[in-house]
Amino acid sequence: MKSTHSGSRRKKIILFYSLAVVLPGIFLGYLAYRGIRNDQALREKESRRKLELNSQTFFAAIDSSLVQFMIEQTDDTIPSSSKQDNPFLLASLVKDSTGFIKLIRHKLLYVPDEMLASKPEQLSQTGHDEGLRLEFREQRFPEALRFYQNKLLKSNEPVEKIFALVASARLYLKMNQPEKAKLVYEQIRTDYLECLLNGQIPVGLMAGLEIMKINQSLGEKDEMRANSLQFLKLLRQPSCEYDKNQFDLFYQSSKEIIPQKDPVIDSLFAELDIERARTDYLIRLINRPDLMAMNGNNHINLGKDGISCIPIYSNELVAVYLSWEKSNGVRASMVIDFPAYLKSSSEKLIQKPDPNSSVNVKIEDNNGRLIFPRVIQEETGYLTFPFPDNLPQYKLLLSENQPGFITTLLKAGSGIYFYIFLLIALLMVLGFVFTIYTLNEELRLNKLKSEFISNVSHELKSPLTSIRMMTEMLTHNRVQTEERKSAYYSAMLEESERLSHLIDNILDFSGMDDDRKKYDFIDLDLNELLLKFIESTRERLPEPGFDIRYSRSDRVPVIRADKNALLQVFYNLVDNAIKFSGTSRQIDISLISKDDELLLCVKDYGIGISGKDQEKIFDRFYRGDEPQRMGIRGSGIGLTIVKKIIEAHKGRLTLESKPGEGSTFMVSIPLSGVNNRQ
Ligand code: ADP
């Protein structure tokens, strides 16, 4: 019945708590959540704007860097030898007003005839007539060889020397001395790598090819491989300019001679094929750049310098074609390998919009291949910005590095809604904990109160019952002897005294509980009061043999105190000592006078108090576990009253106890305490 009642009360309180705290909390939480979302949306918008600005600055930086590069490269005041050979510069050329194209720098494998810088140098045939006669007509090889070696010693002209060397090597071969021929070719390859024979045959390649042929005929496999690699690398990065026929000739011959199925050699051939297609494309482009523009590529002027920029996006090449009409009617043009340019310049260009590196940058081609990454911390929310029309169709991907969670929260302003949210959640949790705590406390007190009522009723009923029984016996003259009668009377007196003390306790308690209790402080001799109290207690002791010892200091000062209240303190402490004495029959009371206080100790040797109970026995209605188990009666308000009275006297109540060994309650009352107040 009781538990159903407290259960429904609990439910009611939780319901009220939900209505009063949880619902408004949820509403406020929702508002805060909306705030956080709005805040987040604002930040995202701001970040998008920032990235957009970054992309614009980045594209502008590309434009201005291209313009600057073009101006530097075509500046006639800077000698071309001191201009850096940039890996991304595929070709740089000028076209005069007559339409003549001059290549200044390039990475072509071969050069169209009309653009070749060197023209065939004519060898004076007369000087070699004798050699040719000895070698070809009369077939007198040793004499012919001597003739050329003689020439070699005498001549200072590289053209003459090359001719003589080539003829010597050829004669060694004819004389079946391949080792010697190889040595001569090696000398040609080393010393005249950048020279052309008859102004058109690249000597280095020719010598290389002859060496490979000798390697092949002598079965020198390892040497053949090394020479093949050297030859292909030279073909890939020519050290002098020659035309397409020469290239094709050496390319075809090398394909026939060099054994394939070697991964390194195969990859060199593959690279060469790509470069060949690129060279063809570049040559077409150099001759007819307008074709690019007609193919739909945009022709955009960069800046005020009148430099036009055409994006080139073909299978062979991704590049930009820059072109600039200079004041003297000369048109300078340039082809820039765009991926290579981005690889080498992006890092520098990014510094402009984003010096603090708070943005992750990626550049992808239109197939989604990564060309350049600069990722400080991988993020998912990349924004894509297509490259502008004057550049190849690449994409710039930017994402902002979001600061850490804590940094965001600490950032002024931006975390305010989150804090509110947190605060509401905290308040709700605290409110809930507090409600549950108060509820439990309330229910605990209620339980204690009910127990108190039942205990007190019992306490009241038992002395009343015995008084009634004894009165009945006396009234009906059932008690025979005078001696018995007198025992009955004193028992009745004792029981009624018990009743009176109990009622005093209850009345005092209710007065103290709501602070109605008034004290009447007078000058009091505690020693005298105690002596009388102990005397009367000895008389009313329930059983004989109980020893109450009293000791005191020689001189006990008079203090200001409430007489009845202190009697109540004595009664409650001594009554407890008697009740909880167990098998012991001794109680020690002492009154000790100290400098500034009076100390009253009530010591018993009874059941003692457990550590857990020591903390609670001064709480109202609390009764120890052990007394309840042993069936010792009580109300649970005695010590609460003692404590309140002592506090009203500005004193202290302390306890020392060990279960099974007894307890000592110590009351100290300051001598100055209430004197000042009264
Ligand atoms: P009551 O004695 O009526 O139960 P009190 O407030 O006087 O109530 O005491 C509270 C509890 O303190 C007791 O129930 C008992 O457990 C413990 N107690 C008090 N005095 C003693 C004592 N002298 N020895 C052992 N336990 C004591």
Side-chain angles (χ1 to χ4, degrees):
M1 186 63 189
K2 221 194 299 177
S3 72
T4 337
H5 176 71
S6 67
S8 74
R9 233 190 112 137
R10 191 189 288 255
K11 273 186 201 151
K12 224 190 257 174
I13 292 177
I14 290 178
L15 183 74
F16 286 151
Y17 168 78
S18 309
L19 289 176
V21 181
V22 178
L23 288 184
I26 289 174
F27 180 66
L28 285 175
Y30 173 71
L31 288 185
Y33 170 76
R34 287 281 302 272
I36 292 174
R37 290 306 300 259
N38 284 348
D39 202 38
Q40 203 178 349
L42 261 174
R43 255 184 290 140
E44 273 172 14
K45 203 170 150 194
E46 199 183 306
S47 158
R48 210 172 308 134
R49 214 173 50 84
K50 182 179 166 191
L51 294 183
E52 217 166 278
L53 222 72
N54 269 248
S55 74
Q56 284 165 9
T57 322
F58 179 70
F59 295 139
I62 293 185
D63 285 355
S64 67
S65 114
L66 287 176
V67 168
Q68 190 167 353
F69 183 67
M70 174 101 196
I71 291 174
E72 266 170 27
Q73 288 294 316
T74 53
D75 187 347
D76 299 332
T77 57
I78 306 173
S80 78
S81 57
S82 68
K83 286 173 193 160
Q84 242 184 30
D85 185 21
N86 282 293
F88 51 80
L89 180 62
L90 293 178
S92 157
L93 54 128
V94 287
K95 193 176 187 180
D96 64 19
S97 46
T98 62
F100 175 73
I101 295 174
K102 187 180 164 206
L103 272 173
I104 298 167
R105 280 165 185 282
H106 66 85
K107 294 208 170 48
L108 298 173
L109 291 184
Y110 44 85
V111 176
D113 275 346
E114 64 279 10
M115 289 177 214
L116 275 174
S118 55
K119 292 287 163 234
E121 262 182 69
Q122 282 311 308
L123 196 70
S124 59
Q125 280 289 319
T126 46
H128 295 281
D129 278 354
E130 193 188 340
L132 292 171
R133 180 176 53 80
L134 286 169
E135 183 185 350
F136 291 104
R137 214 178 302 150
E138 297 173 15
Q139 307 228 332
R140 287 156 61 194
F141 300 142
E143 280 94 333
L145 183 64
R146 250 192 317 277
F147 169 80
Y148 283 118
Q149 280 174 345
N150 218 15
K151 269 260 174 246
L152 209 56
L153 287 174
K154 282 184 192 157
S155 172
N156 281 329
E157 282 295 305
V159 188
E160 298 274 335
K161 283 197 162 200
I162 293 169
F163 191 85
L165 278 170
V166 171
S168 307
R170 192 171 62 228
L171 281 162
Y172 276 131
L173 278 180
K174 284 184 181 168
M175 285 155 50
N176 218 4
Q177 295 179 24
E179 287 295 344
K180 284 195 174 168
K182 196 165 76 178
L183 282 176
V184 178
Y185 279 127
E186 271 166 0
Q187 188 192 345
I188 298 173
R189 191 172 60 176
T190 329
D191 296 349
Y192 301 99
L193 190 66
E194 292 169 8
C195 294
L196 293 170
L197 183 62
N198 288 340
Q200 53 185 352
I201 304 164
V203 178
L205 282 178
M206 186 205 75
L209 190 67
E210 291 303 327
I211 294 169
M212 287 194 295
K213 280 182 190 164
I214 296 170
N215 288 155
Q216 199 182 31
S217 68
L218 296 179
E220 298 165 334
K221 275 194 179 160
D222 291 347
E223 235 182 279
M224 173 70 179
R225 186 171 186 273
N227 283 319
S228 304
L229 292 177
Q230 195 179 354
F231 183 86
L232 289 175
K233 278 178 191 157
L234 189 60
L235 208 55
R236 166 85 177 70
Q237 281 166 338
S239 55
C240 57
E241 285 182 349
Y242 42 84
D243 65 13
K244 187 171 176 13
N245 288 339
Q246 290 296 328
F247 175 84
D248 283 347
L249 190 80
F250 286 107
Y251 177 79
Q252 278 311 328
S253 313
S254 64
K255 274 232 143 166
E256 283 158 21
I257 282 189
I258 297 175
Q260 284 162 44
K261 299 221 169 46
D262 177 323
V264 184
I265 287 174
D266 288 351
S267 79
L268 276 175
F269 268 118
E271 255 182 57
L272 212 51
D273 288 337
I274 293 171
E275 275 309 307
R276 215 168 144 205
R278 278 187 131 201
T279 300
D280 279 341
Y281 187 85
L282 263 171
I283 291 172
R284 276 205 308 280
L285 185 72
I286 289 167
N287 281 317
R288 295 290 308 277
D290 50 323
L291 279 181
M292 295 301 131
M294 280 160 64
N295 277 348
N297 289 337
N298 294 296
H299 185 287
I300 288 177
N301 283 339
L302 295 182
K304 58 180 172 14
D305 303 288
I307 296 173
S308 68
C309 178
I310 307 173
I312 294 155
Y313 211 100
S314 72
N315 288 338
E316 296 86 359
L317 199 62
V318 177
V320 282
Y321 185 91
L322 298 169
S323 170
W324 182 30
E325 176 97 48
K326 298 204 330 181
S327 51
N328 52 7
V330 173
R331 175 167 281 280
S333 305
M334 222 174 250
V335 185
I336 284 176
D337 180 339
F338 197 59
Y341 164 76
L342 285 180
K343 268 190 191 120
S344 73
S345 321
S346 290
E347 196 64 54
K348 205 170 72 214
L349 296 174
I350 287 164
Q351 290 308 316
K352 290 192 181 170
D354 179 34
N356 299 333
S357 304
S358 68
V359 173
N360 295 319
V361 184
K362 284 183 186 175
I363 296 174
E364 283 179 0
D365 66 10
N366 75 334
N367 295 322
R369 263 195 316 255
L370 195 64
I371 303 290
F372 169 84
R374 195 206 54 185
V375 178
I376 300 141
Q377 195 188 329
E378 193 55 90
E379 296 276 342
T380 43
Y382 278 91
L383 287 186
T384 307
F385 301 93
F387 273 49
D389 289 347
N390 64 314
L391 299 174
Q393 299 151 23
Y394 276 18
K395 278 178 253 153
L396 176 69
L397 282 81
L398 299 179
S399 83
E400 194 177 7
N401 274 312
Q402 298 298 341
F405 181 69
I406 301 291
T407 331
T408 319
L409 287 190
L410 295 181
K411 221 165 112 191
S414 62
I416 186 81
Y417 293 111
F418 182 79
Y419 284 128
I420 294 176
F421 193 76
L422 214 67
L423 198 73
I424 290 168
L426 202 76
L427 282 179
M428 274 169 66
V429 170
L430 281 181
F432 187 72
V433 170
F434 181 72
T435 312
I436 294 294
Y437 173 78
T438 329
L439 193 66
N440 281 344
E441 196 59 9
E442 180 87 348
L443 293 176
R444 193 180 68 87
L445 263 181
N446 262 359
K447 187 172 160 248
L448 286 176
K449 260 184 198 161
S450 326
E451 278 173 14
F452 167 75
I453 291 168
S454 112
N455 285 339
V456 164
S457 319
H458 200 76
E459 286 266 280
L460 287 172
K461 204 172 169 198
S462 42
L464 267 179
T465 315
S466 48
I467 290 172
R468 196 174 149 207
M469 264 172 51
M470 284 185 276
T471 324
E472 259 180 26
M473 300 259 288
L474 287 168
T475 318
H476 293 115
N477 277 330
R478 286 207 213 114
V479 187
Q480 305 295 326
T481 62
E482 281 306 308
E483 213 175 300
R484 289 271 307 153
K485 273 182 191 169
S486 133
Y488 269 44
Y489 285 131
S490 55
M492 281 161 68
L493 189 68
E494 192 194 312
E495 290 295 320
S496 48
E497 247 173 45
R498 255 174 69 86
L499 263 180
S500 147
H501 274 292
L502 187 61
I503 289 164
D504 278 353
N505 258 355
I506 294 168
L507 287 177
D508 276 353
F509 175 75
S510 81
M512 282 168 192
D513 211 28
D514 46 23
D515 281 336
R516 274 186 290 109
K517 166 90 180 160
K518 292 272 174 290
Y519 292 92
D520 181 16
F521 292 101
I522 53 164
D523 287 339
L524 206 64
D525 182 346
L526 269 198
N527 174 41
E528 203 182 296
L529 195 68
L530 256 178
L531 280 172
K532 278 190 192 152
F533 169 78
I534 293 169
E535 193 50 48
S536 73
T537 308
R538 281 193 185 119
E539 278 169 16
R540 67 176 174 85
L541 273 175
E543 42 192 296
F546 228 109
D547 187 11
I548 300 179
R549 291 188 212 159
Y550 174 59
S551 63
R552 64 172 175 96
S553 300
D554 291 343
R555 215 183 56 79
V556 179
V558 172
I559 58 161
R560 284 191 76 78
D562 182 310
K563 187 179 164 195
N564 287 331
L566 284 191
L567 272 174
Q568 191 121 4
V569 169
F570 300 159
Y571 182 86
N572 282 342
L573 291 180
V574 175
D575 190 48
N576 275 349
I578 296 169
K579 262 198 313 192
F580 301 119
S581 265
T583 50
S584 147
R585 286 292 171 270
Q586 184 178 329
I587 293 164
D588 292 335
I589 301 173
S590 56
L591 187 63
I592 304 156
S593 164
K594 292 195 169 175
D595 286 347
D596 51 356
E597 61 180 13
L598 261 185
L599 189 67
L600 166 72
C601 300
V602 180
K603 183 176 172 76
D604 67 64
Y605 302 88
I607 61 170
I609 305 166
S610 70
K612 182 187 119 224
D613 277 354
Q614 284 185 30
E615 290 168 20
K616 299 179 183 165
I617 54 171
F618 299 104
D619 293 349
R620 53 192 181 157
F621 308 135
Y622 186 84
R623 300 195 65 228
D625 289 340
E626 189 64 10
Q628 292 195 62
R629 202 180 54 76
M630 293 167 78
I632 303 173
R633 285 177 304 148
S635 59
I637 56 171
L639 284 180
T640 315
I641 292 170
V642 171
K643 195 167 174 237
K644 293 250 183 193
I645 293 173
I646 301 302
E647 277 168 5
H649 285 76
K650 300 225 160 170
R652 272 181 304 117
L653 173 64
T654 47
L655 157 72
E656 270 173 20
S657 180
K658 259 191 187 164
E661 289 181 19
S663 320
T664 310
F665 285 85
M666 287 157 290
V667 174
S668 68
I669 300 174
L671 295 180
S672 57
V674 285
N675 273 343
N676 299 337
R677 204 176 55 173
Q678 293 299 306

